[in-house]
Amino acid sequence: MAAPCMSCRGTVSCRLLLWKTAAAELQTNVRSQILGPSHTAAATRKKNVPALKHETYTVDFIKKQIEEFNIGKRHLANMMREDPESFTQEDIDKAIAYLFPSGLFEKEARPIMKHPELIFPKQRAIQWGEDGRPFHYLFYTGKQSYYSLMHDVYGIQRPDWLIKEELEEMLVEKLSDRDYMQFIHLLEKLLTLQYGAAEEEFVQRFRRSVIIQSKKQLIEPMQYDEQGMAFSKSEGKRKTAKAEAIVYEHGSGRIKVNGIDYLHYFPIMRDREQLMFPFHFVDRLGKLDMTCTVSGGGRLAQAGAVRLAMAKALCSFLTEDEVEWIRQAGLLTADPRVRERKKPGQEGARRKFTWKKR
Amino acid sequence: MAAPAVKVSRGWSGLALVVRRAVLQHPGLTQVRWSRYSAEFKDPLIDKEHYRKPVEKLTEEEKYDRELKKTQLIKAAPAANTSSVFEDPVVSKFTNMMMKGGNKILARSLMTQTLEAVKRKQFEKYHAASAEEQATIERNPYTIFHQALRNCEPMIGLVPILRGGRVYQVPISLPDRRRRFLAMKWMITECRENKHRRMLMPEKLSQELLEAFHNQGPVIKRKHDMHKMAEANRALAHYRWW
């Protein structure tokens, strides 16, 4: 499928849009000319051995694509009556979605317009000179970047390392699982030793940026009712039970569930313990009042839902440290476990039918 | 003994970021047993004192751990755990082992009745005893429970090993958790099987616990039997390779 020709006001070139699937077509159209530094002619024309086995692009081709992309971007900005200088990638996406609405289910098959570096895969330049001698001293290992990296790590540890795919992308080399795990092993060992600022920078390259989780926690705002008492509302759920809790700031520790005292609604001690858990953990057992409504689920699921709602509502009355404590105690996470479905060919979710020899 | 709890299969899946230790030792293997939480979630820690510690008293390592914890996702606390002072992990484990068909309410009520019965019996003895003996009688049911289970733990266990077509019972030293499990298991089987038809579980269990506390009774006897068999088979000890 050739790239579609667009004639918008006659000023736009034919290659304004690049379909991602058509990129593959383009590769076959472009002759496999080898990427290389300044020398082109004799040696490379004789033996067209590409650096990689599959399609390659020339540096010139990529440059041309980038120029066309930039020009196209400006045209698009003019079309949409936006300022060409401050036309971001998001604006491009929105404009393309507006101009070419597509009903295709597969998101990757819809028309896109992105910077060529994101579309064409990164490739390695040719690794040897005119005389056939390779540039890197570890070329004959087959994975020169990887082994040189291993050398560096050995020469000089945490869970947020880059994953294998990202590392492959960074080194532009294919890695096996064993290689990757060995590398991570070394990095972890390195972490156990103390290192200075230079090593820190080196290690930083392989780490993903880490977010402080407690910042993500939404704290419910405090509201004030008619008597001037502060309260906060929140929701929680567990399995199929849904609960909504209102925690009042000054009270004597009364808890009402669906209008009934919790002693009568939850006659089992274990459920009541779950309700008291968040208050007890922050030492405010007899100081806060609570009202809640709950529906659905079973006995313990309702108790879990109320516990979650309570903990979330409680957050607005606590300091930041205390919020972090109850988060680490697991009170603010919604339990994702639900009943597993029964599968066909089995008696239950996991249990298989009795095996009969004949 | 490598990675017993992790079922593995050939192939590699996407979870590479935090690779479990067991899988690290076997490269190229995926975990088959899955959970609704993704691999980054850590277990929650429910200990009030741990969080209330003032910042000055922490060591460097602890400070680092705290900072690290702030960035990690935590699983939800299970329904059986609370921060109550009455909670005991050993008692919870024992209750779970006693439970049948998921009837936790029944198991827990049996457990509380057992502890109450133990306490009553000890108090009766206390009031009936003279002044010097009163000092030696232990009345806290939790200490009695823990001590009784510790007395029942075997030191050496037997493991069946296949050699040349024949299965030999080889004596080996047991890891801690296996010992605790065996003690609890023996206690429960003993109370279920060898009791009078009309006797209730709490009564029988309290009886057994008190006997085990004093190093007597059928469970202790079973432990000694295990030791004797291990002693008898000690010639086979060289079959062990780990």
Side-chain angles (χ1 to χ4, degrees), chain B:
Chain B
M1 290 278 235
V6 174
K7 262 164 65 180
V8 288
S9 73
R10 298 276 148 196
W12 183 255
S13 78
L15 59 105
L17 199 53
V18 178
V19 184
R20 306 260 167 99
R21 264 191 213 285
V23 184
L24 256 179
Q25 289 159 17
H26 304 279
L29 299 175
T30 333
Q31 279 183 244
V32 167
R33 190 173 295 167
W34 56 282
S35 101
R36 296 281 309 191
Y37 293 109
S38 73
E40 295 118 20
F41 279 83
K42 303 283 172 236
D43 290 316
L45 178 65
I46 307 176
D47 179 17
K48 277 166 76 171
E49 309 314 313
H50 172 87
Y51 295 115
R52 302 276 194 282
K53 250 192 190 173
V55 189
E56 302 82 42
K57 293 215 183 125
L58 298 174
T59 62
E60 278 303 316
E61 214 183 273
E62 283 185 357
K63 280 196 195 139
Y64 176 75
D65 281 336
R66 293 252 174 134
E67 285 302 314
L68 187 61
K69 260 264 153 117
K70 282 192 191 161
T71 62
Q72 285 169 339
L73 293 160
I74 312 275
K75 297 186 194 174
N81 295 356
T82 52
S83 59
S84 160
V85 293
F86 301 112
E87 235 192 56
D88 193 16
V90 186
V91 171
S92 311
K93 195 74 172 179
F94 197 78
T95 324
N96 285 342
M97 285 179 70
M98 264 207 310
M99 172 168 63
K100 271 194 188 173
N103 199 347
K104 184 74 147 267
I105 309 172
L106 184 61
R108 179 128 168 208
S109 67
L110 287 176
M111 196 69 220
T112 38
Q113 283 168 32
T114 312
L115 292 170
E116 195 191 322
V118 163
K119 193 162 181 178
R120 272 184 202 276
K121 287 187 187 166
Q122 289 298 91
F123 264 90
E124 274 172 20
K125 261 210 293 196
Y126 184 80
H127 290 310
S130 60
E132 314 89 41
E133 285 173 28
Q134 276 182 356
T136 56
I137 293 180
E138 177 64 53
R139 284 172 292 167
N140 186 351
Y142 290 96
T143 38
I144 295 181
F145 183 75
H146 289 146
Q147 190 56 45
L149 284 182
R150 245 176 277 142
N151 289 349
C152 291
E153 283 178 16
M155 296 296 130
I156 331 174
L158 292 172
V159 151
I161 291 186
L162 197 66
R163 269 287 188 120
R166 278 192 66 184
V167 181
Y168 298 103
Q169 296 287 335
V170 175
I172 53 158
S173 70
L174 299 166
D176 275 337
R177 47 175 196 273
R178 177 83 185 147
R179 277 195 252 163
R180 285 191 285 259
F181 172 76
L182 278 177
M184 288 196 260
K185 181 90 184 198
W186 288 344
M187 182 67 77
I188 293 174
T189 30
E190 172 63 37
C191 293
R192 279 186 185 156
E193 285 160 20
N194 299 348
K195 67 177 166 71
H196 185 63
R197 195 173 56 88
R198 302 286 289 187
M199 196 195 264
L200 293 171
M201 180 72 156
E203 206 189 305
K204 171 78 178 171
L205 190 51
S206 55
Q207 214 177 2
E208 292 301 330
L209 282 173
L210 284 169
E211 285 188 357
F213 179 67
H214 296 294
N215 269 319
Q216 294 155 1
V219 193
I220 301 286
K221 184 172 165 303
R222 190 163 169 183
K223 174 181 97 153
H224 289 321
D225 286 342
M226 171 82 116
H227 284 173
K228 280 186 211 148
M229 274 198 58
E231 183 63 29
N233 281 7
R234 70 171 186 263
L236 305 170
H238 66 280
Y239 280 161
R240 184 174 63 116
W241 65 83
W242 61 88

Side-chain angles (χ1 to χ4, degrees), chain A residues 94-143:
Chain A
K94 279 195 213 148
I96 296 296
Y98 172 71
L99 292 170
F100 300 98
S102 157
L104 296 175
F105 288 124
E106 178 67 49
K107 295 256 162 63
E108 304 204 339
R110 295 184 186 171
I112 54 161
M113 181 168 161
K114 285 204 161 59
H115 194 87
E117 298 224 319
L118 297 171
I119 297 186
F120 295 104
K122 272 207 299 191
Q123 292 185 329
R124 293 166 66 180
I126 200 164
Q127 305 294 319
W128 51 86
E130 269 198 34
D131 50 352
R133 222 167 150 225
F135 297 130
H136 203 285
Y137 72 107
L138 288 174
F139 173 78
Y140 287 109
T141 58
K143 299 182 224 180

Side-chain angles (χ1 to χ4, degrees), chain A residues 158 161 274 281 283 307 327, chain B residues 17 48 52 64 77 79:
Chain A
R158 224 159 310 147
W161 303 120
Q274 286 294 294
F281 197 75
D283 291 330
R307 185 185 89 180
R327 188 190 75 89
Chain B
L17 199 53
K48 277 166 76 171
R52 302 276 194 282
Y64 176 75

Side-chain angles (χ1 to χ4, degrees), chain A residues 273-321:
Chain A
E273 272 179 9
Q274 286 294 294
L275 290 203
M276 292 193 283
F277 183 12
F279 285 160
H280 178 70
F281 197 75
V282 293
D283 291 330
R284 273 161 236 229
L285 199 48
K287 298 181 194 147
L288 296 164
D289 253 354
M290 197 196 64
T291 326
C292 65
T293 49
V294 64
S295 63
R299 206 193 66 240
L300 198 58
Q302 287 191 343
V306 172
R307 185 185 89 180
L308 180 62
M310 219 160 84
K312 281 195 192 164
L314 191 59
C315 278
S316 44
F317 299 114
L318 299 177
T319 59
E320 261 190 41
D321 278 341

